[in-house]
Amino acid sequence: MTRVALIDDHESVRLGLEAALAQTGSFDVVSSGANVAAYLDWRRAAGEAPADVVVLDLTLGDGTTVSENVDRVVRDGSSVIIHSVADRPAAVREALAAGAAGIVSKSSPTHEVLAAIDTVARGELLDNVEWASAVDGDREFADAQLSAREREVLRLYAAGLPLKAVAERLGVAYSTAKENITRVRVKYVEVGRPAPTKVDLLRRAMEDGILHETPETPRDA
């Protein structure tokens, strides 16, 4: 069963999701609360492993920021889905940059929310309307200013090809392909969207429209 934690300062939202998750028989809601601190305190006190997926509200009522909350949960070992009305593109961009796997709107049908949790639990990224709208609504999100060659190297590499195969496909030296990926990583760091792993590069490629379909989770190479 997929272990899920719900973090939302609206109790009615949590109760509704808990009921829907319980009915499937595929999910186990291990924690439900109003803030990240309470979840982490419970987990450590109980000696429980991190939830597979944490469904997190974009804005909580405890004064914390979305980037702080996402970062704490991701560093703790869970994947994060933002469950929000998605009407604040800058905040959504901030959440995605901090490591959230995607966003699903609170106006979405329950079955779509459950499907999103299942997708992220399998290690895949969400590629949905809310994500695309948030990115399109804030053009700074895609402002890494990659060259045409860097975009092509990133597209192939993030799609799952080993770097050697990318070089062969493009007819360039391995060292050239490697240098391109290094420059891509530097440019993403410069705009506040670091991508130290291949999975991070996949996320950036999808966020920026360089890669439109989710491939199998790439392996670093």
Side-chain angles (χ1 to χ4, degrees):
M1 294 181 68
T2 299
R3 301 172 70 255
V4 180
L6 307 176
I7 302 177
D8 195 306
D9 55 358
H10 293 91
E11 185 180 24
S12 58
V13 173
R14 299 199 311 270
L15 291 175
L17 276 180
E18 280 186 57
L21 288 163
Q23 287 178 359
T24 68
S26 300
F27 301 97
D28 179 19
V29 178
V30 296
S31 176
S32 177
N35 57 65
V36 170
Y39 161 69
L40 294 177
D41 287 345
W42 163 81
R43 193 186 71 69
R44 289 162 185 161
E48 292 280 349
D52 298 312
V53 179
V54 171
V55 181
L56 176 67
D57 192 8
L58 188 64
T59 303
L60 302 176
D62 60 352
T64 56
T65 65
V66 62
S67 58
E68 174 187 355
N69 287 327
V70 172
D71 182 69
R72 290 184 71 187
V73 174
V74 170
R75 286 179 180 275
D76 189 56
S78 301
S79 297
V80 176
I81 291 177
I82 296 297
H83 189 219
S84 169
V85 291
D87 61 353
R88 297 173 53 205
V92 171
R93 179 172 72 91
E94 185 180 346
L96 297 175
I103 177 171
V104 61
S105 175
K106 285 186 175 179
S107 63
S108 298
T110 302
H111 70 87
E112 291 185 8
V113 180
L114 301 186
I117 295 172
D118 184 57
T119 295
V120 170
R122 295 196 307 268
E124 300 174 12
L125 300 177
L126 294 183
D127 184 18
N128 55 14
V129 174
E130 287 78 17
W131 178 306
S133 297
V135 173
D136 289 342
D138 187 346
R139 295 319 310 164
E140 290 184 3
F141 191 81
D143 193 23
Q145 297 184 357
L146 304 183
S147 68
R149 172 64 77 187
E150 288 164 352
R151 289 173 67 88
E152 185 63 10
V153 171
L154 174 59
R155 183 183 69 80
L156 294 172
Y157 186 59
L161 288 181
L163 200 51
K164 182 179 179 181
V166 172
E168 292 173 351
R169 177 79 63 89
L170 298 177
V172 301
Y174 172 82
S175 60
T176 300
K178 185 175 181 180
E179 181 181 348
N180 273 278
I181 286 297
T182 298
R183 286 203 301 266
V184 167
R185 284 190 163 114
V186 168
K187 287 185 176 183
Y188 277 122
V189 167
E190 288 174 346
V191 296
R193 300 164 59 200
T197 70
K198 196 168 186 178
V199 172
D200 292 322
L201 286 172
L202 166 61
R203 181 179 286 114
R204 301 295 171 256
M206 291 188 65
E207 291 167 354
D208 290 352
I210 296 169
L211 192 66
H212 298 286
E213 295 182 1
T214 306
E216 292 183 5
T217 301
R219 295 172 295 177
D220 283 307

